[in-house]
C-alpha cells in the first residue's frame, strides 16, 4: 500500500468517526430535550368525592337514607337545618405545565335533601357555575373588608383629623 492510499484511508476513517460522533451528540441532545419536555407535561388533580357512574339514577325520590349511604357512601359533610342534607363535594383542577399554578376546571356539590322521615325529598347537582371556587387545602375562610398593613396605625396617629 502506498503512503497516499494510507493517508487517504486514515482521512476517511477520521471523517467517519467525526460523523458518528456528531450523530451521537445529536441523539443525546434530542434525548435531553425530550426528557425536559416530558417533565413539563400537564397534570390533572381530583379532590374530594368521586361520583360513581350512574349513582344518582339509583336514588329515586322517596328512597331511604340507608339506601343513599349504600349507593353513594359516606358524605363529605352533613347539614341539619331543615331536615338532613348530605353533601358530596368534589373538585377537578389541572395545570398545563408542571411548574404553573392549578386552575379549577370543574367543581361539583351533590346535595341530597331528606324529609323528617329520613326519605329523599330532593336531589341537587351544583356545578362550578352555581357558586364560588373554594380551596380544599388552605383551611382558611376568606373575609371581606379592609386589610390593614403595619403602617396604617402610624398614619392614623400622624393625621390631623
Amino acid at each position: 500500500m502506498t503512503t497516499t492510499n494510507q493517508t487517504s484511508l486514515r482521512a476517511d476513517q477520521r471523517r467517519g468517526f467525526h460523523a458518528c460522533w456528531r450523530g451521537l451528540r445529536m441523539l443525546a441532545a434530542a434525548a435531553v430535550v425530550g426528557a425536559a419536555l416530558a417533565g413539563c407535561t400537564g397534570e390533572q388533580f381530583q379532590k374530594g368525592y368521586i361520583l360513581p357512574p350512574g349513582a344518582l339514577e339509583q336514588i329515586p325520590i322517596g328512597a331511604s337514607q340507608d339506601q343513599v349511604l349504600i349507593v353513594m357512601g359516606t358524605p363529605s359533610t352533613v347539614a341539619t337545618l331543615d331536615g338532613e342534607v348530605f353533601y358530596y363535594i368534589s373538585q377537578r383542577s389541572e395545570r398545563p405545565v408542571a411548574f404553573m399554578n392549578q386552575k379549577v376546571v370543574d367543581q361539583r356539590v351533590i346535595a341530597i335533601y331528606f324529609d323528617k322521615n329520613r326519605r329523599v325529598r330532593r336531589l341537587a347537582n351544583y356545578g362550578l357555575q352555581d357558586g364560588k371556587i373554594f380551596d380544599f387545602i388552605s383551611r382558611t375562610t376568606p373575609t371581606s373588608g379592609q386589610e390593614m398593613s403595619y403602617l396604617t396605625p402610624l398614619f392614623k396617629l400622624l393625621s390631623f383629623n
Side-chain angles (χ1 to χ4, degrees):
M1 207 183 237
T2 62
T3 29
T4 311
N5 287 342
Q6 286 178 350
T7 309
S8 166
L9 183 61
R10 285 187 198 133
D12 287 342
Q13 287 175 343
R14 271 189 250 123
R15 275 191 290 264
F17 175 74
H18 288 296
C20 181
W21 181 248
R22 190 176 311 120
L24 285 174
R25 286 192 320 201
M26 293 291 279
L27 183 63
V32 167
V33 168
L37 289 177
C40 294
T41 58
E43 297 175 283
Q44 288 192 349
F45 303 94
Q46 177 74 36
K47 300 172 187 165
Y49 181 78
I50 298 174
L51 179 67
L56 291 178
E57 289 79 22
Q58 296 178 27
I59 304 172
I61 301 298
S64 70
Q65 199 173 57
D66 292 334
Q67 184 179 351
V68 171
L69 288 171
I70 290 170
V71 172
M72 299 288 285
T74 306
S76 303
T77 189
V78 177
T80 56
L81 292 175
D82 182 28
E84 201 165 15
V85 183
F86 285 180
Y87 292 104
Y88 296 89
I89 303 167
S90 69
Q91 186 179 70
R92 191 168 49 89
S93 60
E94 60 186 29
R95 60 179 170 198
V97 181
F99 56 84
M100 294 181 73
N101 290 332
Q102 295 179 23
K103 179 183 177 194
V104 176
V105 292
D106 188 31
Q107 180 171 291
R108 295 265 150 224
V109 176
I110 298 166
I112 302 176
Y113 298 90
F114 297 97
D115 60 15
K116 300 291 181 188
N117 298 324
R118 298 175 65 188
R119 297 278 178 192
V120 174
R121 183 180 70 204
R122 182 169 71 102
L123 295 170
N125 190 351
Y126 302 111
L128 189 60
Q129 70 279 359
D130 296 317
K132 294 182 179 179
I133 295 173
F134 57 92
D135 187 3
F136 279 92
I137 297 173
S138 72
R139 293 182 177 88
T140 59
T141 305
T143 59
S144 59
Q146 180 181 1
E147 291 185 21
M148 296 176 48
S149 70
Y150 63 93
L151 294 176
T152 305
L154 181 64
F155 288 131
K156 284 187 178 182
L157 283 174
L158 297 175
S159 68
F160 296 107
N161 290 340

